[in-house]
Amino acid sequence: MAMFRLQGSKVLAVEMTGDAVKAKNGSMVAYDGQMAFKKLSGGGEGIRGMVTRRITGEQMTVMEVRGQGTCWFADRASEINLVGLQGDKLYVESSNLLATDGGLRTGTTFTGLRGASQGNGLFTTTVEGHGQAAITSDGPAVVLRVSPQYPLSVDPGAYIAHQGNLRQSFQSGVTFRTLMGEGGGEAFQIRFEGDGLVYVQPSERNTIAGDV
């Protein structure tokens, strides 16, 4: 199994002994040893993958790196966070997924309509199995725990990923910005109930307005 470690907070080093990793295309900054590269299609396979890319505007392509040695990955100086999976499933915005162990399964799941003003995020990328995944954030990510007694509401621009036994729903009509009189933002929040973890970033991504 490939070994993931951080060098600083913005570079991921992956040590491989004949195994493989999948990573965002164009994210590799250096490698040593003997490596082979293969381009994979992102966003799922077949018709569903085409629908995913059309709805989310997703042009993400993924590459597989296999070999002996070390590869270094980075993505626009974003902070990198390592998530260990023990047979569970991680839900992550596709733009925030940097790399996964070759043995982890990736796919897409429909998470519901997020309001007419939002063009991205109708589908979320899933990662499941045993191994490590690296996710990026704009600034240091914060991991928030959700418990049955304490549901959590998150601004969609700050949401990165979640894992655990969580139910996800969308509350429309109010956001943190409209509440504070700033307006012009998305008219909904993402609400999580159950037991699990939610990853948020301190800087909001630009959300896409317009037709879906």
Side-chain angles (χ1 to χ4, degrees):
M1 186 176 288
M3 177 74 71
F4 284 41
R5 60 182 169 84
L6 294 180
Q7 285 196 213
S9 62
K10 299 181 180 181
V11 177
L12 170 70
V14 181
E15 297 169 13
M16 286 182 279
T17 54
D19 25 26
V21 296
K22 288 180 281 192
K24 182 182 289 190
N25 207 32
S27 64
M28 190 173 61
V29 294
Y31 73 92
D32 64 20
Q34 297 292 319
M35 297 291 170
F37 309 97
K38 183 168 68 174
K39 184 177 178 181
L40 307 173
S41 62
E45 299 303 323
I47 297 296
R48 189 173 177 196
M50 290 169 58
V51 171
T52 304
R53 287 191 291 276
R54 178 170 168 265
I55 290 182
T56 64
E58 179 180 340
Q59 301 300 322
M60 179 182 166
T61 52
V62 177
M63 62 178 178
E64 182 185 79
V65 185
R66 182 184 298 273
Q68 304 263 357
T70 304
C71 280
W72 288 269
F73 299 95
D75 186 23
R76 294 170 298 175
S78 298
E79 302 279 335
I80 300 171
N81 314 270
L82 296 182
V83 180
L85 296 176
Q86 304 295 326
D88 50 331
K89 185 181 290 189
L90 174 73
Y91 298 82
V92 57
E93 291 290 321
S94 61
S95 59
N96 293 93
L97 183 61
L98 178 65
T100 63
D101 243 320
L104 290 172
R105 298 181 302 281
T106 55
T108 53
T109 184
F110 183 68
T111 54
L113 298 172
R114 295 193 185 181
S117 68
Q118 179 85 346
N120 64 343
L122 298 177
F123 287 81
T124 296
T125 297
T126 58
V127 182
E128 60 183 315
H130 290 81
Q132 284 193 294
I135 60 177
T136 59
S137 56
D138 190 357
V142 176
V143 185
L144 303 175
R145 173 160 286 284
V146 181
S147 65
Q149 298 91 343
Y150 294 98
L152 181 71
S153 294
V154 177
D155 187 290
Y159 167 79
I160 303 171
H162 71 273
Q163 65 186 132
N165 185 23
L166 292 175
R167 296 182 305 281
Q168 183 180 3
S169 59
F170 301 96
Q171 294 180 309
S172 61
V174 65
T175 67
F176 302 116
R177 279 187 298 282
T178 54
L179 197 64
M180 304 305 283
E182 295 182 18
E186 310 84 352
F188 63 98
Q189 303 167 7
I190 310 174
R191 181 178 171 88
F192 294 96
E193 297 175 88
D195 190 10
L197 302 173
V198 178
Y199 298 78
V200 297
Q201 61 186 5
S203 173
E204 289 191 2
R205 73 174 64 81
N206 290 325
T207 48
I208 302 169
D211 58 333
V212 171

